[in-house]
Amino acid sequence: RAPTAAFPYRLEVHLDWSGADDSDGAAEWRLHDLGYPIGVPLAENVRTFQYTYGLDATGDLDGATRAELRSIHDDCEPRPGSALGSTP
């Protein structure tokens, strides 16, 4: 059966940008591409990402967090338990 209700959201995936970009804006888009919501403070999404991937959950975009985010996003391999790696 076709769904009868419209969903109040949509998913946008951003593929047309340089993976070498380590700015806060690039981190925000990487997080968004991995399923973290836009409109939530960046530090909150970073903290959730850090917790999910076993990093110190400070909310700061430190070097270890940026490297892990780049690795997970740019290799397109979300781990089980992450926003996109969850199993139903």
Side-chain angles (χ1 to χ4, degrees):
R1 289 177 57 170
T4 57
F7 293 101
Y9 60 87
R10 69 181 197 192
L11 175 64
E12 293 180 15
V13 178
H14 304 275
L15 301 174
D16 188 23
W17 56 277
S18 170
D21 188 354
D22 262 345
S23 69
D24 287 359
E28 195 165 29
W29 283 119
R30 282 184 173 105
L31 288 166
H32 174 64
D33 287 349
L34 291 172
Y36 294 85
I38 293 229
V40 172
L42 178 59
E44 186 176 326
N45 280 338
V46 169
R47 188 176 298 108
T48 302
F49 175 84
Q50 290 167 325
Y51 179 80
T52 300
Y53 289 99
L55 301 168
D56 290 334
T58 63
D60 295 326
L61 272 169
D62 56 22
T65 301
R66 287 179 193 276
E68 185 73 2
L69 180 56
R70 250 191 336 269
S71 174
I72 298 300
H73 178 273
D74 296 359
D75 292 344
C76 298
E77 294 185 19
R79 294 184 188 149
S82 68
L84 292 183
S86 301
T87 54

